[in-house]
Amino acid sequence: MVHLSASSLLLAAGILPNLALGAGLDTAAVALGKLYFGTATDNPELTDTAYVTQLNNTNDFGQITPGNSQKWDATEPTQNTFTFTNGDTIAKLAEANGQKLRCHNLVWHNQLPSWVTSGTWTNATLVAALKNHITNVVTHYKGQCYAWDVVNEALNEDGTYRTSLWYETIGEAYLPIAFATAAAADPDVKLYYNDYNIEYSGSKATAAANIVKLIQSYGVKIDGVGLQAHFIVGSTPSKSNQASTMATYTALGVEVAITELDIRMTLPSTDALLAQQSTDYSNTVGACVETEGCVGVTIWDWTDKYSWVPSTFSGQGAACPWDENYAKKPAYTGILTALGGTATATSTTTSATGGSTTSTTTTSSSTSTSTGVAAHWGQCGGSGWTGPTVCATGYTCTYSNAWYSQCL
């Protein structure tokens, strides 16, 4: 006799586990005055019905970023021949759901077609190709995007400019040229500089601020700095450092957003790593909450099933707030509590008799038990908290931030 797992039985019955809807991440973010909480997505996973069900859940996601389908290789594979099919698919999905669209990206050193990387360029010819690409892509999506990541990852870790075709051929002027071209094509869209490891103080963050100043010195519009926030569990910058770094950007008259958040760990996942990951997510989202000019948070896909991490960082993964089976992880609770919300836990029981399958789903508060003792992962303290402050046996009430302590 073949014994099917509960998850296999659920899938066979066409039941989507762990996707109970309710007050979620975007609902909580907007209630705090943020514009959105969102996620990246990509075209291949849109064939996954269970995945799309959650992607369409606007309680959690009020914004979508196309992960790859608006990049140069996807939109201009041969010179002056443009294709927008895949990008349009995601744009239309966001529009149908009433979700904001963060468009990504116009100028990067990666994912360039061979006609760009193998071309023989002068300053003048490359500037012309750059302007032509940006004008066509931004014009096509005019009125659809909340923001464009205009230039992506222009900096080395020490704050110097990255060696790239753009910098070697045009010099630093390629940045204001790109921003000015995008602004001319769509005067209303927000224009961002986007990079990683600029979320905390240091030479790279200083250089990112200098990019803002450079573009402004040309009299060119720049509206925001995107903080990618690709972090490692247990090694993320403190909430106070992230908040103070955000303030260095907003002091220049621009907004900020967390644009590609995920927090990876060395596998296998453990309870201790998941608990630390929850704290790390809470601190990063909390920094945005504390920063008036931080408009929103985007996670770089919401489920481990489609995360970019394992294929890029050997032996690492489990970076997203939902696991590969679409179950919410403690990170979800960490995010939601940082946004001032209360998490729910969904449990599913399944039985099979004579080939039939039944399923019941119970949703209950994750913050306390009926005995007045907080369960594992439950909230046990924080500003305004009126629930239990004692944890179940074996767990300790651990401070996360001023609004949240958790039984770990």
Side-chain angles (χ1 to χ4, degrees), residues 133-213:
H133 178 80
I134 293 172
T135 299
N136 277 275
V137 176
V138 175
T139 299
H140 178 81
Y141 288 104
K142 183 176 182 179
Q144 299 180 63
C145 307
Y146 168 75
W148 267 108
D149 291 328
V150 178
V151 176
N152 197 50
E153 301 176 3
L155 297 170
N156 293 315
E157 292 307 295
D158 63 359
T160 59
Y161 282 111
R162 182 189 296 275
T163 299
S164 68
L165 173 67
W166 313 114
Y167 183 70
E168 290 179 309
T169 309
I170 305 172
E172 69 176 11
Y174 87 86
L175 289 114
I177 289 170
F179 275 81
T181 306
D186 186 352
D188 297 323
V189 71
K190 300 282 188 178
L191 304 180
Y192 272 65
Y193 174 71
N194 192 55
D195 213 331
Y196 61 91
N197 291 349
I198 61 167
E199 308 86 359
Y200 49 90
S201 56
S203 57
K204 195 171 185 181
T206 299
N210 287 337
I211 283 177
V212 175
K213 295 174 185 177

Side-chain angles (χ1 to χ4, degrees), residues 353-403:
T353 305
S356 63
T357 304
T358 60
S359 174
T360 59
T361 302
T362 303
T363 303
S364 60
S365 169
S366 67
T367 57
S368 64
T369 67
S370 59
T371 62
V373 175
H376 189 202
W377 309 123
Q379 186 172 356
C380 54
S383 178
W385 174 246
T386 58
T389 57
V390 176
C391 296
T393 302
Y395 303 107
T396 301
C397 189
T398 304
Y399 176 88
S400 176
N401 56 52
W403 303 277

Side-chain angles (χ1 to χ4, degrees), residues 216-240:
Q216 291 173 334
S217 74
Y218 277 77
V220 172
K221 164 183 150 97
I222 178 171
D223 298 290
V225 176
L227 314 177
Q228 292 185 12
H230 293 298
F231 291 144
I232 301 171
V233 167
S235 299
T236 63
S238 68
K239 182 174 68 171
S240 61

Side-chain angles (χ1 to χ4, degrees), residues 24-40 58-65 98-103 145-149 190 192 194 224-227 255-261 285 288-289 293-300 335 339:
L25 305 180
D26 186 68
T27 303
V30 172
L32 285 176
K34 303 304 175 183
L35 294 183
Y36 60 81
F37 190 98
T39 182
T58 55
N59 289 300
D60 277 325
F61 306 132
Q63 172 267 319
I64 293 178
T65 299
Q99 295 162 314
K100 288 180 171 60
L101 188 71
R102 283 201 87 257
C103 293
C145 307
Y146 168 75
W148 267 108
D149 291 328
K190 300 282 188 178
Y192 272 65
N194 192 55
V225 176
L227 314 177
E255 64 188 39
V256 296
I258 298 168
T259 56
E260 304 183 19
L261 174 62
V285 174
C288 181
V289 168
C294 183
V295 299
V297 177
T298 306
I299 51 178
W300 206 239
I335 295 169
L339 294 170

Side-chain angles (χ1 to χ4, degrees), residues 261-275:
L261 174 62
D262 54 23
I263 307 180
R264 63 187 186 270
M265 64 181 69
T266 299
L267 300 174
S269 173
T270 65
D271 282 352
L273 286 170
L274 290 170

